[in-house]
Amino acid sequence: MNEPDTLGASLTRSGVSRRSFLKFCTAMASLMALPPSAAYAMADALNRAQRQSVIWLSFQECTGCVESLTRSFDPTLEQMIFEMISLDYQETLQAASGEAAELARKQAMKSSYGKYVLIVDGSIPTKDGGVYSTIAGISNYDMLVETAKGAAAIVAVGTCSAYGGIPHANPNPTGAVAVSDIIKDKPIMNVPGCPPIPSVIAGVLAYFVTYGKLPELDHIGRPKVFFADTIHDRCYRRPFYDQGKFAKTFDDEGARNGWCLYELGCKGPTTYNACATIKWNGGISFPIESGHGCLGCSEPNFWDKGSFYQPLPTPLADNAPVIAAATLGGIAVGTVAAVVSRKHQADISTKEEK
Amino acid sequence: MDLLQFARGPALTWAFAIFVFGMTWRLVGILLLKRRPDYSEPRNTASWTGAIKLIITRSWPHREFRKRTIFGLSVGYIFHIGLAIVVFGFAPHIMFIRSLTGLDWPNLPNAVIYISGAITIAALIIVMGRRLTNPVMRLISNFDDYFSWFVTITPVVTGMLAVAHLGARYETLLAIHILSIALLLVWFPFGKLMHSALIFISRGTTGALFERKGASI
Ligand code: SF4
Ligand code: SF4
């Protein structure tokens, strides 16, 4: 096949109609708050674009991120992502195994050197020479460093590759770190979430293919288009928060009336993600709509910020022993102070008597 | 560990420890002080009624001084009541206290809290304005007065900024708010804020003495 592997050609080959392609572009443009004209520009650019070569490395992870993407309940979305990219290496999805798989990675690296996008999910163990997770006998650390060399950009998908995630949680037995802790000389975009919303992954890929660069990022590397607002900023229960109406248990009257879940531990006010606007499962709902507070899954260290059911403004540590010890200490010092002063008083009175 | 984790974690733990240690130290130290023996014949034996009476009567302006003190007193009352509403009426504060003590009570609507907070800040600014402009007040003010004012107004201001999401990200504002409370707790037992406990002890003692002597309260 001599024709260049453009996205347009590949879409035609797989029978995706222009109508659903435009629908996808419009949806992506509106998700990223781009002007309406951008949808056509995006369609045009994507149509002519070469399919983006992507190498996807999975390290210490649960495959939830890939599950999220491939079970997005939105066949168009899933199809578009896989049409948009040429997924040259992905351990879960590829047919090849063993040496053939490694060869595929090497080949993809060689043929698109400097141009491929490297997607990473999962954290990278660094303790004991990185032995806790290896692929084909190569440690995750070495594979990341080697593959990152030829990448045009890196997308860290999921909280584990973005910030260390669950493997990084205290006491972090494998010394797990994020991609950005290791790779310093490449543009890195974090798409955190446990897992991330599929349309967000699709959106940022569409952006990269259309504009040839990463979108604007926030201070911890997340695309601002999706991570500028907190869940709380966009939460439909917000009016109840503002009125001070809180559900106290998961099945009390407040919960049935859809009151705010702050008291039940909702981390929405400190969590930047697009769940409240884009929602999950093709826009059906999101966790808070199902009656459970936000866990803060798109934030660094979300696993180490106290119980998921502990309200945000409460102390993290169990302070009772410290308070008890401080009380005893205070009583002791106060008693000593009183004894000293009594003695002082007595001395003065005896002096006066004399 | 981010700033909010630090504030909710070690900062609060240390603040609680210092607060509780300081409070018990000072209160036990004062309560165990030797009283001078009183050999006179008591006029009234149930002196505790005098203690309660004086705590109440001294909380009200004396008729003779009413004109001169009413302004300062009213502003003082306004910010004390405002503070109480904000501290004990705001749902997140109740959650905070409940997590420490297990006590729980219904919260006030947030609108009431916001208005009280704003009034409290205004009243606190007025008292500081008075302190700075009145030459006598300025003369008798020391670092303790200014710093105690500062650690009182800061949590109210940072709390208002946090609920309004003004000036920084919510998590940063919430962390600063919690840190400002930690500072308040640390300063509380050692500065003039201690009056909140000592005022009852000193008035009570005086009242009991008056009652014993049969003085009018
Ligand atoms: S449910 Fe959570 S995100 Fe929604 S308003 Fe309440 S605290 Fe905010
Ligand atoms: S609502 Fe919160 S915890 Fe749930 S997926 Fe969204 S960011 Fe993660």
Side-chain angles (χ1 to χ4, degrees):
Chain A
M1 191 171 62
N2 286 336
E3 68 175 292
D5 193 15
T6 62
L7 180 54
S10 134
L11 285 171
T12 321
R13 268 204 311 277
S14 34
V16 175
S17 70
R18 177 150 174 86
R19 187 187 168 83
S20 50
F21 176 57
L22 272 177
K23 215 175 118 196
F24 170 80
C25 292
T26 315
M28 288 301 131
S30 86
L31 280 186
M32 291 186 278
L34 298 170
S37 57
Y40 288 96
M42 185 183 273
D44 197 36
L46 286 178
N47 220 350
R48 278 183 286 117
Q50 297 261 323
R51 288 172 77 207
Q52 174 64 49
S53 165
V54 169
I55 298 180
W56 184 316
L57 299 178
S58 295
F59 296 144
Q60 282 193 133
E61 42 81 56
C62 66
T63 317
C65 297
V66 178
E67 285 284 334
S68 164
L69 193 58
T70 54
R71 282 162 217 262
S72 61
F73 286 86
D74 189 347
T76 3
L77 174 70
E78 188 188 320
Q79 194 177 5
M80 285 303 169
I81 295 171
F82 291 117
E83 294 302 338
M84 217 155 52
I85 61 175
S86 153
L87 192 54
D88 296 327
Y89 180 90
Q90 213 297 343
E91 288 140 16
T92 312
L93 303 175
Q94 71 198 1
S97 63
E99 280 172 11
E102 277 314 289
L103 203 66
R105 180 172 68 89
K106 295 249 153 87
Q107 246 158 19
M109 283 175 63
K110 207 163 131 200
S111 58
S112 312
Y113 199 83
K115 285 188 274 187
Y116 58 82
V117 168
L118 172 61
I119 296 184
V120 179
D121 66 331
S123 65
I124 303 99
T126 56
K127 218 184 224 169
D128 302 324
V131 294
Y132 297 105
S133 177
T134 61
I135 297 158
I138 309 167
S139 75
N140 291 170
Y141 185 96
D142 290 342
M143 191 178 275
L144 173 65
V145 171
E146 187 194 343
T147 320
K149 272 192 194 124
I154 303 177
V155 183
V157 165
T159 305
C160 295
S161 60
Y163 308 125
I166 297 172
H168 177 81
N170 210 3
N172 191 1
T174 65
V177 298
V179 171
S180 56
D181 292 324
I182 296 170
I183 307 297
K184 302 286 180 194
D185 57 350
K186 293 281 172 185
I188 300 176
M189 171 168 62
N190 292 327
V191 186
C194 193
I197 306 172
S199 353
V200 172
I201 306 177
V204 289
L205 285 176
Y207 189 99
F208 186 81
V209 177
T210 309
Y211 297 107
K213 58 172 187 180
L214 297 178
E216 203 188 334
L217 306 178
D218 73 2
H219 67 294
I220 45 174
R222 297 176 293 200
K224 280 188 179 167
V225 279
F226 294 112
F227 292 90
D229 295 323
T230 61
I231 302 290
H232 182 70
D233 286 334
R234 299 303 176 117
C235 180
Y236 75 105
R237 297 193 188 221
R238 179 68 183 267
F240 294 116
Y241 172 90
D242 290 334
Q243 290 161 27
K245 288 183 175 162
F246 302 99
K248 308 254 173 206
T249 64
F250 284 108
D251 58 357
D252 68 357
E253 215 200 319
R256 280 194 288 275
N257 289 335
W259 288 2
C260 171
L261 303 169
Y262 189 75
E263 197 159 343
L264 293 168
C266 181
K267 306 292 182 289
T270 53
T271 306
Y272 294 78
N273 204 347
C275 305
T277 40
I278 296 177
K279 303 195 178 175
W280 283 84
N281 300 338
I284 290 176
S285 79
F286 73 114
I288 293 173
E289 220 168 324
S290 314
H292 197 287
C294 167
L295 310 179
C297 77
S298 56
E299 293 296 319
N301 301 323
F302 82 105
W303 208 260
D304 286 329
K305 292 177 176 169
S307 153
F308 291 151
Y309 303 101
Q310 191 182 347
L312 255 181
T314 55
L316 284 177
D318 172 19
N319 292 305
V322 175
I323 291 176
T327 311
L328 292 178
I331 291 174
V333 175
T335 312
V336 172
V339 169
V340 170
S341 106
R342 275 174 176 241
K343 199 174 161 292
H344 193 62
Q345 277 173 309
D347 289 350
I348 293 171
S349 352
T350 36
K351 251 188 228 157
E352 273 173 7
E353 272 163 28
K354 275 181 200 164
Chain B
M1 186 186 289
D2 58 32
L3 193 63
L4 184 56
Q5 272 175 287
F6 170 73
R8 292 175 70 196
L12 272 185
T13 303
W14 275 100
F16 287 141
I18 296 171
F19 172 76
V20 173
F21 174 78
M23 288 298 276
T24 41
W25 166 16
R26 292 206 60 194
L27 287 177
V28 169
I30 290 168
L31 292 173
L32 290 185
L33 276 183
K34 196 172 169 186
R35 312 260 163 83
R36 204 189 285 160
D38 191 343
Y39 300 115
S40 67
E41 182 97 12
R43 296 261 164 85
N44 296 310
T45 38
S47 55
W48 61 270
T49 51
I52 292 171
K53 244 170 63 204
L54 195 103
I55 288 173
I56 296 167
T57 54
R58 288 275 162 100
S59 303
W60 217 239
H62 201 281
R63 203 176 305 130
E64 279 167 53
F65 307 124
R66 194 169 291 163
K67 260 213 182 116
R68 284 173 55 195
T69 57
I70 191 80
F71 179 74
L73 209 83
S74 315
V75 182
Y77 260 105
I78 288 171
F79 85 73
H80 277 89
I81 294 169
L83 275 178
I85 292 175
V86 173
V87 172
F88 298 110
F90 190 42
H93 296 164
I94 300 173
M95 292 173 207
F96 182 86
I97 298 169
R98 191 183 57 199
S99 76
L100 290 170
T101 61
L103 300 173
D104 198 9
W105 57 90
N107 63 292
L108 291 168
N110 285 7
V112 176
I113 306 296
Y114 302 156
I115 294 168
S116 305
I119 294 174
T120 306
I121 292 173
L124 278 165
I125 291 173
I126 291 172
V127 291
M128 183 42 78
R130 246 182 102 232
R131 191 177 283 283
L132 289 173
T133 49
N134 185 318
V136 178
M137 291 275 278
R138 241 175 56 194
L139 202 67
I140 57 170
S141 299
N142 58 13
F143 170 79
D144 192 351
D145 292 288
Y146 296 114
F147 196 65
S148 296
W149 177 87
F150 174 75
V151 298
T152 309
I153 196 169
T154 314
V156 193
V157 173
T158 55
M160 294 282 277
L161 290 177
V163 286
H165 291 223
L166 267 180
R169 288 176 164 237
Y170 176 76
E171 61 273 27
T172 314
L173 293 168
L174 181 62
I176 293 173
H177 178 56
I178 295 177
L179 288 173
S180 69
I181 292 157
L183 181 67
L184 171 77
L185 288 173
V186 167
W187 180 247
F188 200 98
F190 308 107
K192 291 203 175 173
L193 295 175
M194 195 59 187
H195 75 269
S196 54
L198 295 184
I199 193 166
F200 299 108
I201 298 179
S202 58
R203 279 187 193 168
T205 313
T206 317
L209 196 72
F210 281 10
E211 186 72 16
R212 190 188 151 95
K213 287 185 173 164
S216 83
I217 298 173

